[in-house]
Amino acid sequence: MNLRKIVSAAAVGVLSLSLLSACNNTIGAAGNEKVTLHLASNHPEEHPVTPSLREFAQLANEKSGQEVEVKVAANGLLGGERDVIELVKSGTLQMAKVSASALEGFEKSYSIFSLPYVFQSEEHYYNVMENSEAVHDIFTKTKDQGWFAIGWYSGGQRSIYTANTKVESTEDMKGMKIRVQESPTSISMIKAMGGSPTPMAFGEVYTSLQQGIIDGAENNEMGLTSNKHGEVAKAYTYTEHQYVPDVLIMSTEAWEGLTDEQKDVIIESAVESAESHKVRWEKAVIEATKEAEDMGVQFYQIDKQPFIDAAKPLHEQFKAKNEDNARYFDDFQSYVK
Ligand code: GCU
């Protein structure tokens, strides 16, 4: 068992001692019980999602007249993404920020967010995320399974990066072990592109790159800097294959314990913090690119068409699986301008 696993096992032990209980019985200004919501995230302090989560917490506190206190536990303190989803689902933890790809293992329709090239541009991505009925449907459909999504933060575009040999074409992908998230769609994506997918938790990627267990990984530019992968992966190829949002999930039990006003506050705070996150993200990408260059990472622009063509059959397979998938896919595409 590695250190991170021991830490997360210890954290789960702490949780069972109910240090993460949602209510503390103090009465707030409006006469309601004060509520404490613990929110887990695997990102470190310097990752742009963390200040956005802290902004969410601050807004929720202000708007509720200090009735709702959100405590952000960043840096994977409460475990990896699968661990914290389980904790939210069981009601042991109230909230978590996780990748939409990780949610695919809990509700299959989340796979649409990992479909390569399902979003054709940043504008298309934002349009869908902010307006689509399909997103709303997916976010709320698991409410009776103990959890659901209340918001999202942009995670930009994901591209492939490698430790030694750079990738410039789908031919270069042959035999390359590329780490993917624990998402069946991402596994199929790397296979379709000619590589050898290796699913693993995010916390294990750095050492796996360093030890040559994998040849590369795929993520946004922040993976290189905030998550330090640029220290061990020096070639970043703009395949721009996915926009996978970070999703804010909440335990249904904790949600049902809120007053209607508090529920509104939570939603409003999620929307407002996601809006300012867009600006924060744009700035962070520019800074991360510069910082990664200083770390010795080289960035490669390529002809993406062969990657797009390789991924295309996955769209048809996704749509053919069931009616909901077909409807979601068409809804996403209706936002292409
Ligand atoms: C992004 C995302 C994380 C996720 C990671 C991954 O960084 O924001 O939530 O864990 O990708 O590749 O696993």
Side-chain angles (χ1 to χ4, degrees), residues 297-337:
V297 177
Q298 303 233 344
F299 289 84
Y300 299 95
Q301 292 287 356
I302 52 150
D303 172 16
K304 287 189 298 186
Q305 199 54 47
F307 286 87
I308 297 173
D309 294 344
K312 202 82 196 162
L314 298 187
H315 292 192
E316 296 311 317
Q317 286 163 23
F318 174 84
K319 283 196 277 181
K321 269 195 189 125
N322 57 57
E323 275 175 22
D324 273 354
N325 278 12
R327 186 161 51 84
Y328 294 152
F329 187 88
D330 290 345
D331 187 57
F332 273 36
Q333 294 318 305
S334 72
Y335 289 91
V336 176
K337 281 199 178 143

Side-chain angles (χ1 to χ4, degrees), residues 42-43 81 97-99 158 179 181 202 219-220 246:
N42 62 347
H43 285 311
E81 295 204 320
K97 182 290 313 163
V98 292
S99 169
R158 297 177 75 100
R179 178 270 171 174
Q181 298 195 72
F202 195 42
N219 208 331
N220 52 57
D246 271 359

Side-chain angles (χ1 to χ4, degrees), residues 21 27 43 61 68 110 112 127-128 133 135 165 196 221-222 234 252 277 325:
S21 80
I27 304 298
H43 285 311
N61 195 249
V68 176
Y110 276 88
I112 194 164
N127 263 333
V128 171
E133 266 303 308
V135 171
T165 327
S196 177
E221 295 83 345
M222 249 49 72
K234 300 295 181 191
T252 309
H277 176 74
N325 278 12

Side-chain angles (χ1 to χ4, degrees), residues 50-67:
T50 311
S52 298
L53 295 175
R54 296 209 183 280
E55 185 184 332
F56 163 72
Q58 196 187 337
L59 286 169
N61 195 249
E62 283 167 13
K63 285 173 186 283
S64 67
Q66 283 77 49
E67 269 178 18

Side-chain angles (χ1 to χ4, degrees), residues 105-132:
F106 294 81
E107 165 52 50
K108 285 201 170 57
S109 41
Y110 276 88
S111 58
I112 194 164
F113 299 109
S114 302
L115 265 187
Y117 304 107
V118 73
F119 296 114
Q120 297 183 11
S121 63
E122 187 177 68
E123 191 194 6
H124 179 211
Y125 169 58
Y126 281 133
N127 263 333
V128 171
M129 293 308 298
E130 286 167 358
N131 304 304
S132 147

